[in-house]
Amino acid sequence: MNGAPSSEATPTPLEQARFLAGQGRIVEAEFIYRKLLESSPDLVEGLNFVAMCVHARGEPTQAGMLLERARLAAPDDAETLKNLGLVYRALGNDAGAIDALQGALRQEPAYFLARLHLAGLLQQAGRDGEALPHYFRAVKDAQARGRWLNESTTPPGVRASVLHAMNTIDAGRLALFQNSFAPLREKFGASALHRVEDALGIYLGTRAADYPDPRQKPLFLFFPGIASRPYYDRAQFPWLGELEAATESIRAELTRMLREDHGFEPFLRTDGPADLENYLRGSQGAPTWNGYFFYRHGERYNDNCARCPQTISVLDALPIVRIREHAPEVLFSVLTPGSHILPHRGVTNTRLVTHLPLLVPPDCALRVGGEEHVWREGHCVVFDDTYEHEAWNRSGQTRVVLILDTWHPDLTEVERAAVTDLVGVIGDFNQKSGAH
């Protein structure tokens, strides 16, 4: 038919260049990019491609000039900054290379190739402590995108660097984490810490976890060789009597806080209603699980503590877990009518969770490892939250329990100290590397 449009549009020169580059036809792609730069001298994509072709031919100075033009046109372009880092390194300007690569990562934190090169430069400069978390984050981000999983998903040009990164990660993390409790090992001997060493091996994946109960599976750290059960005998925790004896004074302060509606915040930090549905459901309108925190992730909530002086005086006398930026987690846990906390697991079996029930209407219960427990006001229950567990309030009234975490009774004092140091250092490393 006369005048009918073509079924396939003619590709533009830029599209042709990209296609050829994708096919590995580098010489042809470079030719087209150079032609494009004649008419569009600030084409950042073209400047980068030609620069790296020139660099591959052993002309880093010329490559650097092209990349500086690209940076002038687009100062925050991550690809340009990454390429400048490579060229500066070839020119012996390691400080400039590090600065450029750091700039690329400020623009695109998940740019794993730029991070790999940055880690290599830092290690070469003797800054191993800075290099290690960058290596770890680079591999983690790449593998999250299906890259660097094996030889076929790792481009030949970076295989040696990726393998070096993985070896550095394995050796570096082991040494870093073992050093966290080295003073204890020196003082008390290796035999006193062999279970801690085993727990570290399980965490790093060099030792298999042998769970004594298949229902148990910590999300973070499994400590072997200690008892495993959903619920624990109160006789193992002689301080429970002291806590239960304070029930009335604690409940009085809770009641006042509920009446004033002060200091409560959502227990769950989610990305919105859709994400919340993975953790919480409601049969009587929108579900709510709030907490009045005395401690959260090891941080003391001073205002909340000051408003409940009798409660905090009792709590601070108890053997709760204290690990900077991790523990304790102590709060009034408030579950509104119809709310159901869906099955989930805790992070480590080195600590157990205690509930002191304060306001418990009918049709409220806790289930741990498939075993149901009905709370009784003023009577504590201690359980291992690394078993799958859930809780519900099917009544028309609010349910409140005081939650706190304590050490597993089978851990020795030396092991508790070592776990405290180990978890703190792991947390520091994960924070530096951006791991979650």
Side-chain angles (χ1 to χ4, degrees):
M1 293 176 60
N2 292 336
S6 171
S7 59
E8 293 185 9
T10 302
T12 66
L14 183 58
E15 290 171 338
Q16 289 178 333
R18 289 171 177 169
F19 173 78
L20 292 168
Q23 295 293 308
R25 295 160 65 179
I26 304 302
V27 174
E28 296 168 82
E30 183 186 357
F31 177 80
I32 296 176
Y33 274 120
R34 284 185 177 275
K35 296 294 290 182
L36 285 167
L37 287 171
E38 292 176 6
S39 57
S40 302
D42 293 335
L43 180 63
V44 173
E45 179 180 330
L47 288 166
N48 271 275
F49 191 89
V50 174
M52 297 318 287
C53 289
V54 170
H55 179 51
R57 291 195 289 270
E59 302 176 46
T61 300
Q62 181 65 27
M65 294 172 61
L66 291 165
L67 290 170
E68 290 295 355
R69 281 172 52 190
R71 178 156 65 172
L72 187 64
D76 296 331
D77 180 63
E79 181 71 9
T80 300
L81 292 168
K82 183 267 290 182
N83 288 339
L84 271 171
L86 300 183
V87 169
Y88 284 156
R89 184 176 190 177
L91 291 169
N93 181 5
D94 287 354
I98 289 172
D99 183 65
L101 290 166
Q102 288 174 334
L105 292 169
R106 281 193 294 272
Q107 301 305 316
E108 294 186 22
Y111 196 170
F112 51 84
L113 188 57
R115 195 174 294 277
L116 178 70
H117 290 304
L118 175 60
L121 273 166
L122 291 170
Q123 187 177 38
Q124 180 180 299
R127 295 159 64 178
D128 292 5
E130 296 173 69
L132 182 60
H134 281 297
Y135 274 134
F136 183 75
R137 172 75 181 272
V139 173
K140 182 174 179 289
D141 284 348
Q143 292 185 339
R145 291 159 179 77
R147 307 288 296 277
W148 302 357
L149 298 170
N150 47 44
E151 188 172 304
S152 66
T153 58
T154 308
V158 296
R159 283 177 190 164
S161 296
V162 170
L163 181 60
H164 173 76
M166 292 178 171
N167 290 335
T168 299
I169 291 166
D170 290 344
R173 286 208 302 163
L174 177 61
L176 176 67
F177 299 155
Q178 282 183 328
N179 284 343
S180 70
F181 52 88
L184 292 169
R185 187 191 305 109
E186 183 177 346
K187 182 176 181 179
F188 295 99
S191 61
L193 293 161
H194 76 276
R195 295 195 300 191
V196 179
E197 294 277 6
D198 290 343
L200 176 57
I202 293 168
Y203 173 74
L204 293 174
T206 59
R207 184 184 187 279
D210 184 13
Y211 298 113
D213 189 317
R215 295 174 295 173
Q216 180 183 46
K217 192 171 184 182
L219 297 177
F220 164 55
L221 181 69
F222 174 67
F223 197 98
I226 58 179
S228 175
R229 60 179 66 93
Y231 298 98
Y232 280 74
D233 187 339
R234 62 179 293 116
Q236 294 182 276
F237 312 93
W239 48 266
L240 289 179
E242 177 185 349
L243 177 59
E244 291 172 340
T247 297
E248 291 304 323
S249 60
I250 293 172
R251 181 159 46 209
E253 291 182 332
L254 161 68
T255 302
R256 188 176 74 254
M257 292 302 99
L258 289 171
R259 186 170 57 249
E260 296 177 4
D261 192 21
H262 174 87
F264 294 91
E265 61 184 74
F267 184 90
L268 296 169
R269 295 171 176 171
T270 62
D271 295 328
D275 189 30
L276 184 65
E277 290 182 0
N278 295 322
Y279 304 96
L280 198 61
R281 298 285 171 83
S283 60
Q284 301 179 38
T288 302
W289 182 14
N290 283 338
Y292 181 96
F293 287 90
F294 298 98
Y295 290 88
R296 187 167 208 183
H297 306 311
E299 178 188 355
R300 185 182 175 97
Y301 281 37
N302 290 322
D303 184 54
N304 285 0
C305 292
R307 287 176 172 267
C308 299
Q310 295 187 67
T311 300
I312 198 62
S313 68
V314 174
L315 292 172
D316 282 348
L318 300 179
I320 55 181
V321 179
R322 298 183 185 276
I323 301 175
R324 58 184 175 81
E325 299 181 5
H326 292 269
E329 196 95 339
V330 184
L331 67 148
F332 292 139
S333 172
V334 181
L335 202 59
T336 57
S339 296
H340 183 173
I341 303 168
L342 299 180
H344 61 289
R345 298 180 189 274
V347 295
T348 178
N349 65 327
T350 58
R351 59 109 171 96
L352 302 174
V353 176
T354 297
H355 283 183
L356 171 64
L358 298 169
L359 297 175
V360 183
D363 298 322
C364 294
L366 167 73
R367 181 182 290 135
V368 181
E371 301 177 21
E372 189 171 309
H373 171 85
V374 177
W375 293 288
R376 289 190 300 150
E377 291 183 2
H379 294 266
C380 287
V381 58
V382 181
F383 64 96
D384 185 337
D385 72 344
T386 63
Y387 285 75
E388 188 175 73
H389 60 287
E390 59 185 310
W392 58 84
N393 176 6
R394 296 170 183 160
S395 78
Q397 301 167 271
T398 297
R399 183 236 65 177
V400 185
V401 299
L402 174 67
I403 296 179
L404 56 109
D405 45 344
T406 59
W407 289 108
H408 191 294
D410 288 355
L411 293 176
T412 67
E413 290 297 327
V414 175
E415 288 171 334
R416 294 178 186 187
V419 168
T420 298
D421 293 338
L422 173 61
V423 172
V425 170
I426 290 175
D428 292 342
F429 177 80
N430 288 343
Q431 186 174 26
K432 287 179 182 177
S433 67
H436 301 289

